[in-house]
Amino acid sequence: MPNKVWKLGIIGWPLGYSLSPLMHRAALKAAGLEGTYDEIKVKPEELGNWLQTEAPKLDGFNVTMPHKAAVWEHISKHGEFGQPFPDLVRDIGAVNTVQVRDGKLIGTNTDGPGFLAPFERSGAFRDKNVLLLGAGGAARAIAVYLVQSEQVGSLKIWNRNPEKARELAERTAKLRRSCRVEAVRDLRSVPVERMALIVNATPTGMNKHEESPVDCGLLLKGQVVYDIVYDPLETRLIHGARKQGCTVIRGDQMLAGQAAAAFEIWTDVPAAKVLPAMRKALDAHFAAAA
Ligand code: NAP
């Protein structure tokens, strides 16, 4: 029997520069699989038709802006949400990875597992206090995973639009009653020094001239500061946190983690097996861009 040729890709519009092809092509090679990972431009008005006619011809695909919520919507009506946590994907309201099985679309979201990938063991923040900045797509996945899988003790959510922080806190609080989830309106009211983990899930920092979203002078040695922004890698928050002696985690870690988790869903090759190749491809890209 001839070897399987994997047909993978990413859909988006206008689909600017994406690092996914770089990572997934490196993973195919590292896993010794034959296949392609294509960039597929799908206009929002053509999405429904594309999902019905073209998507079933693939083995799997990633979903990026602006389609994550629309694909979730489509799958909630016509497909199914993927294991191991279909309920979590339902709660997140956004899909970034689709597996095609017998023509059926199975949607999931690997931002949560990708976010947790850099921690050496699960439960690293069990019963600890966490501050999350942002209430967009990535923050929703992170909040759900922190509360459900990581079992944090308390989660404070701040967002520029406070109403969205309140909605996310309300939804997330229902997932595990023993976790204290609350929205904070004023970041200055948060005792930053008592947070074991501080996560920036807003784009603040993408512009090099922007201030850090938290006052780095308040950060203490021993705290973990995680900025999911990966362009640039060294944001002001990361720079300031490192100066204070914090453990820092940069956005490329989550980027590779979510990609490796997607690759495992499609191919059954363990994420840990392809993660080094994906990281190496990313490192080479960032080194060349520096
Ligand atoms: P999104 O759904 O558009 O949400 C953006 C969030 O950031 C919203 O909460 C928004 O607040 C807030 N925000 C936007 N501009 C802001 C500003 N100038 N100041 C303060 N808050 C601001 O985007 P997303 O998909 O969650 O992505 C957020 C960031 O994470 C992006 O930089 C993206 O590149 C990065 N990301 C990284 C990874 C990774 O793997 N490392 C994965 C996904 C995303 P409002 O509600 O007030 O608008």
Side-chain angles (χ1 to χ4, degrees), residues 2-241:
N3 281 346
K4 180 173 173 60
V5 180
W6 292 88
K7 283 193 202 159
L8 306 170
I10 180 166
I11 63 162
W13 181 263
L15 199 59
Y17 187 72
S18 166
L19 294 170
S20 294
L22 181 90
M23 290 188 285
H24 285 288
R25 287 169 192 160
L28 282 167
K29 205 167 166 194
L33 300 179
E34 218 180 306
T36 51
Y37 184 99
D38 294 327
E39 291 176 320
I40 308 163
K41 293 183 181 185
V42 181
K43 290 182 181 163
E45 61 272 24
E46 290 166 0
L47 181 66
N49 187 40
W50 186 89
L51 288 169
Q52 276 172 14
T53 58
E54 299 303 314
K57 297 177 190 165
L58 301 174
D59 295 299
F61 57 96
N62 286 125
V63 182
T64 188
M65 292 212 299
H67 297 323
K68 289 183 182 187
V71 172
W72 180 91
E73 198 75 43
H74 178 93
I75 285 181
S76 65
K77 290 184 196 135
H78 307 289
E80 63 184 66
F81 292 120
Q83 297 297 335
F85 300 123
D87 291 346
L88 292 195
V89 188
R90 205 167 283 120
D91 281 325
I92 292 164
V95 156
N96 76 341
T97 300
V98 178
Q99 182 190 21
V100 185
R101 206 191 296 144
D102 302 325
K104 189 165 189 171
L105 305 188
I106 301 162
T108 191
N109 189 310
T110 60
D111 276 345
F115 172 78
L116 296 182
F119 302 127
E120 279 174 13
R121 58 189 168 85
S122 67
F125 292 97
R126 181 163 298 179
D127 299 331
K128 302 269 175 62
N129 301 322
V130 177
L131 170 63
L132 173 64
L133 311 177
R140 285 207 299 278
I142 292 168
V144 165
Y145 267 78
L146 280 171
V147 170
Q148 285 276 69
S149 319
E150 196 64 7
Q151 308 219 335
V152 299
S154 83
L155 178 65
K156 291 185 191 300
I157 303 172
W158 173 87
N159 191 50
R160 183 176 61 177
N161 173 347
E163 190 49 30
K164 273 174 66 182
R166 195 187 59 75
E167 272 171 34
L168 178 59
E170 258 179 36
R171 272 171 59 155
T172 315
K174 288 186 190 140
L175 299 175
R176 194 165 58 81
R177 294 281 177 197
S178 56
C179 179
R180 295 188 310 281
V181 187
E182 61 172 328
V184 288
R185 287 188 87 86
D186 186 353
L187 206 45
R188 287 167 303 184
S189 70
V190 177
V192 171
E193 69 287 355
R194 281 197 237 142
M195 300 295 129
L197 170 66
I198 295 151
V199 183
N200 175 39
T202 77
T204 313
M206 289 186 77
N207 176 341
K208 283 183 185 157
H209 305 293
E210 261 169 332
E211 285 302 313
S212 164
V214 290
D215 177 355
C216 291
L218 300 173
L219 299 171
L220 301 173
K221 195 174 172 183
Q223 288 181 299
V224 180
V225 173
Y226 196 148
D227 196 339
I228 76 164
V229 168
Y230 54 83
D231 184 17
L233 273 181
E234 197 70 15
T235 60
R236 285 211 179 182
L237 172 60
I238 289 289
H239 181 71

Side-chain angles (χ1 to χ4, degrees), residues 241-260:
R242 189 180 280 119
K243 261 175 74 180
Q244 296 294 103
C246 300
T247 299
V248 296
I249 304 177
R250 305 188 301 190
D252 57 330
Q253 301 245 24
M254 173 170 163
L255 192 63
Q258 60 78 29

